Amino acid sequence: MQLQLRNKGGTEMEEKWWQSSVVYQIYPRSFYDSNQDGIGDIPGIIEKLDYLAELGIDVIWLNPVFQSPNVDNGYDISDYEAVNPEYGTMEDLRLLIKKCRARGIKVILDLVVNHTSDQHVWFQEAKKSADNPYHDYYIWRKEPNDLMSNFGGSAWEYVPEVDQYYLHFYSRQQPDLNWENPRMRQDIYKMMNFWIHEGIGGFRMDVIDLIGKVPDQNIKENGPHLHEYLQEMARETYGEKDLLTVGETWGAAAENAKLFCDPRRKELSMIFQFEQINLDKVKGKHRWDLKELDMIELKDVLSKWQSVMENNGWNSLFWNNHDLPRIVSRWGNDHGKYRVLSAKMLAILLHGMKGTPYIYQGEEIGMTNFYSDDISDYPDIETQQVYKERLDQGFSKEDILRSIHKKARDNGRTPMQWSQAENAGFTKGVPWMKVNPNYQQVNAADCLEHKDSIFYTYQTLIRLRKESRVLRQGTYRLIDRENPNIFSYERILENQKIMVICNFYQEETKYEVSLEGARVLTANYPDMEYRSGILCLRAYEAVMLIWEK
Ligand code: TEU
Ligand code: CA
């Protein structure tokens, strides 16, 4: 369905299908194992399509399922056009796309083109000799400079055969591609067209703001030719195809964000910006150094992005992904009875905003961080490398574990908790990664049984987005910024208004507000304590109201 809308300037604007969609992110390795080898797989996703349809999502984003030695769980790709046999076959992937299409669900794939695996045939050739035709597909220097890898250590690795160093912003098994090489770029576009031809719904683009790097000037993100490359990519591949393209851009700030997603520039549909994620980072320090979270900062950041994208832009809305700790353990309360209330509050807060919401597997059942004290329970290469690095730097084990419990990427990668069965019903074999022991309380089967579960709050929010134009298109305005307990805002479109009011904490709090004429769209308590202009908000209480004149 295409709707004609008017933006502020009065010009006609078409509502794109991805502006009324909700995306569900699947980390295939940890979603559902269909053949008992302990590893989630594509047939396993197909088996769970009823569950996703029940939730009501429109799009699935699959983390990489391509051939890979799995040094970085599939973000080190050795063949872009082959499916990793651990996950199934090309036929399985085609079947998934087909079955999804039958249900009106699109599948978007992860495009990892900042780097390949060192096992990719391009790199195998490239390192043979400096005059090999593939040598220039990667970035080589006679001398390394002091650029560091995001996973720790130098970003340069020596290859004796060519007596040169190659650049890798991630592990040394993930050499960076040389985007200055037009032949390399054309090969990437060919591969993208291969997948477009297979009928995918679009791409999530891994660390795409790094492809314009200038290593000799220590420029990593937002290099001088970045947008030229993205425009070329669009022209050569998806430009006329009406696909969803979302760029992972850790380097996006309010000032440069629209360069990626202003439709007139013909680059991407939207980006993932990480400013709200970085609120637990100490500026200039390592990301594992801990910082207390501040809710007013969260209000400011989310509200800033709402207004940055108000005209000629579009936000992605997400709390979680496979690199991040669980939201209920981050901004909510993952202990006992408050887990459910705070997970619902955070869902209502985010899904009331303007943009395309992304739900990460397990978020809809309130999965929490992992909290293991055994470092071998964290297989992620980043955690393993940084753990060693920090031990060497003199941090105590307890100290490092505190950071891991808060920040490790594996917090988001434990297997999906389907039921109370062994291994949370994820596999009948030995799971590739430990299951979070709280699956007895936290699991999908339990949620599906109880109408007041987190799952149904998400289901309601997804449905509301479809039904409500003000939810999709209304202008956002933060209310009462200074209130230290409550996050509240409104959305306005013509004669409709939505208000979202969230008590961010466990303590009860009172809020002076006129709710005359309002109807409750959704809430996380069955009733409201509202008397003579005072709303009394209980622990983590959240309500979304609408006024329709
Ligand atoms: O992530 C980019 C990235 O920089 C993160 O790894 C980040 O450093 C980390 O989450 C700490 O905040 C993307 C993928 O999402 C990630 O899984 C890959 O490991 C990485 O790129 C390399 O491809
Ligand atoms: Ca399997």
Side-chain angles (χ1 to χ4, degrees), residues 75-234:
Y75 283 94
D76 47 325
I77 296 173
S78 51
D79 184 344
Y80 286 108
E81 294 181 20
V83 171
N84 182 340
E86 287 179 330
Y87 299 142
T89 62
M90 192 63 139
E91 282 317 307
D92 292 328
L93 184 54
R94 289 191 176 121
L95 188 63
L96 173 66
I97 295 171
K98 193 171 147 202
K99 295 226 166 191
C100 283
R101 184 180 300 124
R103 293 170 185 264
I105 296 173
K106 294 179 200 269
V107 176
I108 72 172
L109 296 181
D110 219 308
L111 182 77
V112 188
V113 292
N114 174 67
H115 45 266
T116 67
S117 160
D118 62 346
Q119 301 304 307
H120 195 290
V121 59
W122 296 344
F123 190 73
Q124 291 295 312
E125 287 296 312
K127 67 174 196 181
K128 282 185 182 160
S129 72
D131 49 19
N132 186 289
Y134 287 97
H135 189 73
D136 259 0
Y137 274 43
Y138 297 87
I139 299 167
W140 302 91
R141 294 292 183 268
K142 277 278 171 209
E143 295 294 335
N145 65 6
D146 52 12
L147 277 173
M148 297 291 286
S149 150
N150 287 347
F151 291 161
S154 167
W156 297 96
E157 182 76 13
Y158 183 64
V159 176
E161 290 92 323
V162 290
D163 187 26
Q164 286 177 347
Y165 296 79
Y166 66 85
L167 180 74
H168 62 90
F169 278 163
Y170 291 87
S171 77
R172 65 189 159 75
Q173 295 94 335
Q174 292 165 293
D176 278 47
L177 285 165
N178 177 19
W179 275 77
E180 286 177 18
N181 179 344
R183 272 204 308 131
M184 191 287 295
R185 301 205 298 273
Q186 287 303 324
D187 273 350
I188 295 290
Y189 305 151
K190 228 193 285 167
M191 172 274 282
M192 292 173 69
N193 284 325
F194 167 84
W195 287 111
I196 292 171
H197 190 72
E198 289 292 333
I200 64 166
F203 296 103
R204 174 268 186 186
M205 301 187 181
D206 193 57
V207 290
I208 201 68
D209 56 343
L210 299 181
I211 62 173
K213 70 198 65 126
V214 187
D216 306 310
Q217 296 169 31
N218 281 7
I219 297 176
K220 294 176 108 177
E221 59 257 345
N222 303 318
H225 299 292
L226 168 61
H227 294 284
E228 216 176 278
Y229 298 150
L230 284 174
Q231 284 170 11
E232 179 186 82
M233 177 191 279

Side-chain angles (χ1 to χ4, degrees), residues 485-544:
N485 306 310
I486 293 170
F487 193 144
S488 55
Y489 61 85
E490 49 186 34
R491 303 280 311 281
I492 294 173
L493 186 74
E494 291 151 16
N495 51 3
Q496 291 198 316
K497 178 170 100 174
I498 280 180
M499 193 186 277
V500 174
I501 308 170
C502 300
N503 177 3
F504 220 74
Y505 299 102
Q506 189 176 320
E507 293 71 34
E508 240 181 62
T509 183
K510 292 200 164 40
Y511 193 49
E512 211 186 309
V513 61
S514 164
L515 300 183
E516 212 174 304
R519 177 167 66 86
V520 176
L521 280 178
T522 187
N524 62 353
Y525 280 77
D527 56 358
M528 257 200 305
E529 289 188 6
Y530 179 68
R531 250 166 256 110
S532 29
I534 304 285
L535 180 63
C536 175
L537 292 157
R538 291 151 285 187
Y540 299 104
E541 183 160 357
V543 21
M544 183 187 285

Side-chain angles (χ1 to χ4, degrees), residues 32-41 86:
Y32 184 62
D33 176 21
S34 72
N35 62 352
Q36 283 88 58
D37 65 355
I39 299 172
D41 45 55
E86 287 179 330

